[in-house]
Amino acid sequence: MNTKKKSRMSEARPEDKRLPIGSTFAYGFQHVLTMYGGIIAPPLIIGAAAGMTSQDIGLLIAACLFVGGLATILQTIGIPFFGSQLPLVQGVSFAGVSTMVAIVNGGGGIQAVFGSVMVASLIGLAITPLFSRIIKFFPPVVTGTVITTIGLTLMPVAANWAMGGNAKAPNYGSMANIGLAAATFVVVLLLSKVGNAAISRLSILLAMVAGTAIAFVTGMADFSKVGQGDILAFPTPFAFGMPTFEIASIISMLIVILVTLTETSADIIAVGEIVDTKVDSRRIGDGLRADMLSSAISPIFNSFTQSAFAQNVGLVAITGIKSRFVVSAGGLILVVLGLLPVLGRVVAAVPTPVLGGAGVVLFGTVAASGIRTLSKVEYRNNMNLIIVAASIGFGMIPIAAPAFYNQFPAWFSTIFHSGISSAALMAIVLNVLFNHFRAGNTDNQSVFVAGTGRVIREEDIACLADGDRYEDGKLIDCDGKEVPVQPASKPAGH
């Protein structure tokens, strides 16, 4: 009896809904396309910094796809104590790219990167109970701020993709690249408007296909390298040598892990808001442990730190497909791409500007979801407005001025160079100071709050009698009769 009851409760969760197998893999493939550019960028950057050949970088990319797929399956399907069972796509975290490049350039090589990732992730796994208990410090004023900031901080990524993705390329920012991105963007909007719900939900995927077709016809898509290289290849454990362990590298990577834990906590809460499902401290803890376990194991298969991809949170919001099994299918596709480099090369042939055009809508949807959450926040007679203002402003600093923290200590710049972690930390701290520790708070509204409440002029209510009320858009007097409301007269000349 209890088992049946628990089963019914589980099926009631929006994320547990199952779709037909064809739709599941179609939407899953859409998730893969959305994050593909993001998941291959870190190994490209780190491999280039390590002086690897193009063939070795290709192996590194395949390994990152393979591990990202396994991590996604663990996060979405879950096992006891590991996995949030939410529609979150996992992949190599951008947060550690600059630190890993610094380790490589410092003489440690790629082996020191792998070693530092393993040790720092195991330490992160040990401290996840601390992070899982911060749920009470994430009310809507914090979650809305973080979700909005996630969307805003991803916009430079979309813009970079739309311009071509490679700032050193001669056609970077060309009219052709931006035009292709704009064409993809328009297709997304047109397909989103059509009456067919299935087409509307697949608008991102179909727009990418259409954008790639346009690029092929105009000579902007290159499929010549699809046939080059192995068709099937399993990631070889420790293919680049055994990891080495350096104290300085481990300490630097531990800071990255703390940032990753903060960002993943925010992503778990964000997708919980979007899916409209309960996210408690236990679920956050399970998600963070999946993150850290995946990150600790990934160097064995030549990959790096794993975390939830914020851009795919936007895809969940824009499509309305909340099923975690759709994302699990995406994880399986990633595993296959990691085992079949030839399929990975096909997906890699999708021009970067096409990703950029779709990314504008995706990342904008994340910000819009945050704004929707912020609309639920009470702003009267409190300091919530300054919490939102200061946190979003603080999160925008590294986006508006990427070199802002360059002169700060490395540990500080690592943490605050991420707009997401900057806004999250500021929102949490200010919420605690203003809403949890109320001692010293003024009784008078500050300049940040004054004027945010509704004000009605005395002459507007002078005609009302005791017992009058407003119901269902109608003014009802004390006797229960409707009082006609005269429309406001237009000024002369209009």
Side-chain angles (χ1 to χ4, degrees):
M1 183 73 177
N2 290 336
T3 303
K4 291 182 179 179
K5 184 177 180 180
K6 289 181 179 179
S7 177
R8 286 195 299 269
M9 290 175 63
S10 176
E11 292 176 357
R13 300 190 309 182
E15 64 271 25
D16 292 336
K17 182 179 180 181
R18 293 180 180 271
L19 304 180
I21 190 70
S23 299
T24 296
F25 277 92
Y27 291 127
F29 187 57
Q30 187 171 233
H31 273 286
V32 171
L33 284 178
T34 300
M35 56 85 72
Y36 193 84
I39 200 172
I40 69 173
L44 278 172
I45 297 170
I46 298 166
M52 291 183 172
T53 64
S54 57
Q55 185 177 4
D56 285 342
I57 292 177
L59 291 175
L60 206 61
I61 291 174
C64 290
L65 292 170
F66 177 76
V67 174
L70 293 178
T72 299
I73 293 172
L74 175 62
Q75 186 71 268
T76 54
I77 299 299
I79 59 176
F81 305 108
F82 295 91
S84 64
Q85 295 188 341
L86 285 167
L88 287 168
V89 178
Q90 302 289 114
V92 178
S93 171
F94 269 102
V97 170
S98 59
T99 299
M100 294 179 198
V101 169
I103 292 173
V104 169
N105 293 337
I110 196 73
Q111 295 81 10
V113 171
F114 290 143
S116 63
V117 168
M118 291 179 73
V119 176
S121 299
L122 289 173
I123 296 173
L125 181 61
I127 65 174
T128 50
L130 172 65
F131 276 79
S132 65
R133 292 190 177 96
I134 65 175
I135 183 68
K136 65 179 180 180
F137 299 116
F138 280 85
V141 68
V142 173
T143 58
T145 297
V146 173
I147 298 169
T148 302
T149 305
I150 289 173
L152 295 177
T153 56
L154 287 172
M155 291 310 296
V157 176
N160 180 56
W161 287 346
M163 296 173 74
N166 182 7
K168 296 181 180 179
N171 66 337
Y172 183 72
S174 66
M175 289 290 292
N177 282 344
I178 296 177
L180 179 58
T184 306
F185 174 79
V186 170
V187 173
V188 172
L189 298 182
L190 289 176
L191 294 179
S192 298
K193 183 177 173 59
V194 298
N196 189 307
I199 292 178
S200 180
R201 287 178 170 178
L202 283 171
S203 59
I204 299 295
L205 173 60
L206 296 175
M208 288 183 179
V209 172
T212 303
I214 294 172
F216 181 76
V217 171
T218 57
M220 295 179 66
D222 182 13
F223 290 93
S224 62
K225 297 181 180 179
V226 170
Q228 299 177 5
D230 295 331
I231 295 177
L232 174 66
F234 187 87
T236 304
F238 302 118
F240 301 102
M242 296 300 292
T244 59
F245 306 97
E246 302 176 353
I247 297 298
S249 299
I250 292 171
I251 293 174
S252 297
M253 192 54 61
L254 182 57
I255 296 171
V256 172
I257 289 299
L258 293 175
V259 173
T260 301
L261 286 170
T262 303
E263 292 188 343
T264 300
S265 297
D267 286 334
I268 290 173
I269 293 169
V271 81
E273 289 272 350
I274 292 170
V275 173
D276 193 22
T277 190
K278 181 182 179 181
V279 173
D280 53 19
S281 60
R282 179 177 179 179
R283 205 165 190 185
I284 294 176
D286 289 348
L288 294 180
R289 279 188 287 273
D291 237 19
M292 292 298 99
L293 180 64
S294 301
S295 297
I297 295 175
S298 65
I300 297 175
F301 297 100
N302 317 298
S303 188
F304 311 103
T305 53
Q306 303 292 308
S307 69
F309 266 53
Q311 50 261 54
N312 290 83
V313 175
L315 186 59
V316 173
I318 196 172
T319 62
I321 303 298
K322 303 174 181 180
S323 172
R324 59 190 172 98
F325 301 109
V326 163
V327 177
S328 300
L332 185 59
I333 292 171
L334 284 173
V335 172
V336 173
L337 289 175
L339 295 175
L340 298 172
V342 63
L343 295 181
R345 292 192 291 272
V346 171
V347 179
V350 175
T352 308
V354 171
L355 298 176
V360 171
V361 181
L362 283 174
F363 305 157
T365 303
V366 177
S369 298
I371 294 171
R372 183 174 58 188
T373 300
L374 289 174
S375 68
K376 304 174 185 177
V377 176
E378 177 60 62
Y379 295 101
R380 288 176 292 181
N381 301 317
N382 57 45
M383 295 297 288
N384 282 337
L385 190 64
I386 190 175
I387 294 174
V388 175
S391 301
I392 292 181
F394 195 61
M396 290 299 98
I397 288 177
I399 305 304
F404 191 86
Y405 295 114
N406 283 4
Q407 301 301 315
F408 284 70
W411 65 267
F412 188 94
S413 59
T414 298
I415 295 173
F416 291 99
H417 186 71
S418 166
I420 298 172
S421 58
S422 295
L425 291 172
M426 179 63 76
I428 293 169
V429 170
L430 291 183
N431 178 60
V432 170
L433 289 176
F434 291 140
N435 292 333
H436 288 269
F437 296 104
R438 298 181 180 275
N441 284 7
T442 178
D443 292 332
N444 299 318
Q445 293 183 338
S446 76
V447 66
F448 297 102
V449 182
T452 60
R454 296 173 60 191
V455 177
I456 300 178
R457 295 177 300 177
E458 185 177 354
E459 56 265 32
D460 292 333
I461 62 173
C463 62
L464 297 179
D466 187 29
D468 289 352
R469 60 192 183 278
Y470 197 72
E471 294 180 357
D472 300 326
K474 299 177 181 179
L475 181 60
I476 309 298
D477 65 16
C478 56
D479 297 322
K481 298 178 180 179
E482 181 181 351
V483 179
V485 178
Q486 182 179 352
S489 59
K490 296 182 179 180
H494 290 263

